[in-house]
């Protein structure tokens, strides 16, 4: 175990021993820049730099239009257009189905295969709304004569009509 401890001490010494980074001018051998470092400092700075670069790159890709150039990502405009087209195609297919049903019903009327039990209440109501001209419902003179004739045929004995109050008193 002493060998393991010795190896750990050597590694610790190498990591924390101060070293000097010197930048020299090659022609004059003049010292331009000097920095005291340890291997641990270099490792920490390099790791932090890599993490920051990864974070900034991810941020740029996620929150800018650059993500559109990555395969698999689609633009927000493309998604919006696709949604609008899906809604339009859905409404067009519904309109097409309604038109086909209308044409089939017209074909049935023209061929005489009219089904009496089936009718569209909405179309009847719309037709009634369209025809909103006032109609004179007062009976004409020939109609009044016909009513009198029918009344005479139904009641050959002209008995005076009884009042409702007299009927209730008999009960």
């Amino acid at each position: 175990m002493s060998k393991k401890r010795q190896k750990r001490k050597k590694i610790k010494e190498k990591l924390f021993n101060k070293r000097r980074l010197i930048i020299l001018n090659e022609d004059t051998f003049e010292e331009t820049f000097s920095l005291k470092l340890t291997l641990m400092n270099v490792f920490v700075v390099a790791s932090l730099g890599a993490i920051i670069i990864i974070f900034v790159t991810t941020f740029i890709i996620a929150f800018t239009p650059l993500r559109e150039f990555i395969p698999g990502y689609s633009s927000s405009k493309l998604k919006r257009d696709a949604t609008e087209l899906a809604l339009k195609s859905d409404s067009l297919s519904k309109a097409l189905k309604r038109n086909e049903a209308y044409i089939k019903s017209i074909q049935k009327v023209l061929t005489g295969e009219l089904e009496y039990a089936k009718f569209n209440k909405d179309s009847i109501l719309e037709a009634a709304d369209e025809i909103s001209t006032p109609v004179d419902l007062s009976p004409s003179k020939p109609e009044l004569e016909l009513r009198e004739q029918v009344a005479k045929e139904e009641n050959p004995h002209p008995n005076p009509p009884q009042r409702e109050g007299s009927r209730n008193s008999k009960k």
Side-chain angles (χ1 to χ4, degrees), residues 141-156:
K141 188 174 182 179
E143 188 176 343
L144 287 174
E145 291 174 2
L146 180 63
R147 286 183 185 179
E148 289 176 16
Q149 185 181 9
V150 170
K152 286 179 185 177
E153 289 177 2
E154 287 180 355
N155 294 327

Side-chain angles (χ1 to χ4, degrees), residues 1 4 9 16 19-20 24 32 36-37 41 57 66 73 84 90 92 104 109 120 122 130 136 138 140 148 157 165:
M1 289 201 191
K4 286 187 179 180
K9 279 187 178 181
F16 291 104
R19 304 187 190 251
R20 179 176 260 187
L24 299 173
T32 307
K36 289 183 181 178
L37 298 171
N41 289 346
T57 305
L66 286 176
Y73 282 98
E84 288 177 12
D90 186 44
L92 286 175
K104 285 181 182 178
V109 169
N120 190 352
D122 293 336
E130 290 175 5
D136 184 23
S138 61
S140 63
E148 289 176 16
H157 307 299

Side-chain angles (χ1 to χ4, degrees), residues 86-97:
L87 292 173
K88 283 182 183 180
S89 66
D90 186 44
S91 63
L92 286 175
S93 65
K94 286 181 182 179
L96 180 65
K97 287 178 183 177

Side-chain angles (χ1 to χ4, degrees), residues 26-67:
E26 192 174 320
D27 294 334
T28 62
F29 293 110
E30 183 181 341
E31 186 177 315
T32 307
F33 181 74
S34 174
L35 188 62
K36 289 183 181 178
L37 298 171
T38 63
L39 286 177
M40 182 59 91
N41 289 346
V42 172
F43 177 72
V44 168
V45 169
S47 299
L48 287 175
I51 290 172
I52 290 172
I53 287 174
I54 290 171
F55 178 74
V56 169
T57 305
T58 305
F59 182 79
I60 289 172
I61 290 173
F63 297 109
T64 62
L66 286 176
R67 69 173 171 255

